[in-house]
Amino acid sequence: MSATDLSAGNGTDAEAAHPRPVVAVVLVAAGSGQRLGYGMPKARVPLGGEPILMHALRGIVASGVAQQVCIALPAGDGALRRMCDDFRNELVDGGPLLTVVDGGATRSESVRSALAVLEEGTQAVLVHDAARALTPESVFHRVVDSLAAGALAVIPVMPVVDTVKTVKATSGNDARIAPELVVGTAPREQLRAVQTPQGFDLDTLLRAHGAVSGFDEEQGAAITDDAMLVERLGVPVHAVRGASQSLKITTPLDLIIAEGLLEGPLGARWVEG
Ligand code: C5P
């Protein structure tokens, strides 16, 4: 597919006001899934009878926002590659271009591997965790709408229900009392829990990831999302409403919740807000 073949948009009034960018979705699925305890990469773990990766892929394609989906898989995982090939064949009516790359040792490396193979003509990129396999289509649309309206960076967020404190490890006498000591309490009304897909103007995201080459190992390991790299450039990062259904499936409890969402009365995509 050439850049000029990449059609965009669906002809709505909103689109007339803000032309849709040519969007690629980077789906990072190269994690080990150790915390899930299944002894296999998380993308392969079954959820409602289908691997987590397939739920994530179907959600992206159903949203209709992407002209390309680039999936970062654990290096050498033949089973997941075959799954992507089969899904490509399923997209009989065309659908987005599906590309597969080997992921890296960290999430951020996996993102960069995918960014390196995006089609010429791509204007915006959504970076999405495969672990957020049940993300509703509406979240993809809110992110793309914000990019179309001029945002260079936009993230879906949720209010925080817990009070959040910063702590430090204790030593000496304090360590005999408890392993950590509270250092501060962040005002809860200003806090947001951050989800994916995170949307970016492509050039901005490339610039943000370009800075990582100067990072040491510790700094590299501390990159937990893409927006934090864009923040370092001084580029404003906008926030739109996420969804509770976009939970990141990380622990066995998350998997139980995700199974429950799938079995809910209205199926996978019913919980909003
Ligand atoms: O483990 P973490 O919470 O950072 O994983 C978030 C997402 O990043 C998951 O979808 C996981 O598959 C992906 N990831 C990746 N490459 C890595 C580590 C994580 O694509 N090396």
Side-chain angles (χ1 to χ4, degrees):
M1 189 189 289
S2 72
T4 45
D5 290 330
L6 298 169
S7 61
N10 56 9
T12 62
D13 288 348
E15 185 189 330
H18 304 294
R20 320 305 289 167
V22 176
V23 172
V25 174
V26 164
L27 182 64
V28 282
S32 66
Q34 267 174 353
R35 286 168 290 184
L36 212 46
Y38 258 76
M40 64 170 81
K42 194 193 294 182
R44 262 202 265 148
V45 169
L47 166 63
E50 259 207 322
I52 283 177
L53 177 69
M54 292 310 300
H55 288 277
L57 271 176
R58 288 192 201 291
I60 294 166
V61 171
S63 77
V65 299
Q67 282 76 44
Q68 180 182 7
V69 181
C70 184
I71 310 149
L73 294 178
D77 192 314
L80 284 172
R81 278 194 176 248
R82 278 191 295 281
M83 223 178 277
C84 291
D85 289 342
D86 290 347
F87 186 65
R88 193 183 287 116
N89 295 334
E90 245 183 61
L91 296 174
V92 279
D93 60 344
L97 174 70
L98 229 64
T99 318
V100 171
V101 293
D102 282 340
T106 64
R107 181 189 184 279
S108 155
E109 282 176 33
S110 296
V111 172
R112 283 190 292 285
S113 302
L115 291 178
V117 300
L118 295 188
E119 288 285 283
E120 203 180 309
T122 304
Q123 296 168 312
V125 59
L126 268 51
V127 184
H128 189 43
D129 290 339
R132 298 187 189 274
L134 301 183
T135 299
E137 292 163 33
S138 54
V139 178
F140 288 93
H141 291 148
R142 282 197 281 277
V143 170
V144 173
D145 285 351
S146 182
L147 290 169
L152 294 178
V154 56
I155 59 175
V157 301
M158 291 293 283
V160 173
V161 291
D162 294 315
T163 296
V164 177
K165 297 191 187 291
T166 45
V167 297
K168 65 174 184 184
T170 47
S171 58
N173 267 345
D174 281 344
R176 275 188 280 278
I177 301 171
E180 290 179 339
L181 190 67
V182 171
V183 177
T185 306
R188 191 170 62 186
E189 66 278 9
Q190 287 175 19
L191 294 175
R192 299 290 179 268
V194 175
Q195 303 180 333
T196 69
Q198 299 190 347
F200 305 94
D201 158 68
L202 177 61
D203 291 340
T204 303
L205 188 62
L206 288 172
R207 204 152 57 87
H209 272 275
V212 177
S213 56
F215 283 20
D216 62 27
E217 200 175 322
E218 197 180 333
Q219 288 170 315
I223 306 168
T224 49
D225 78 347
D226 300 279
M228 62 192 282
L229 295 174
V230 172
E231 288 159 49
R232 286 170 54 96
L233 299 179
V235 171
V237 176
H238 300 266
V240 295
R241 186 160 49 90
S244 43
Q245 213 170 337
S246 300
L247 81 161
K248 185 158 82 168
I249 301 166
T250 308
T251 65
L253 177 63
D254 299 329
L255 201 54
I256 292 168
I257 295 169
E259 293 277 2
L261 287 171
L262 280 176
E263 286 165 13
L266 300 175
R269 302 184 178 280
W270 66 285
V271 181
E272 263 291 346

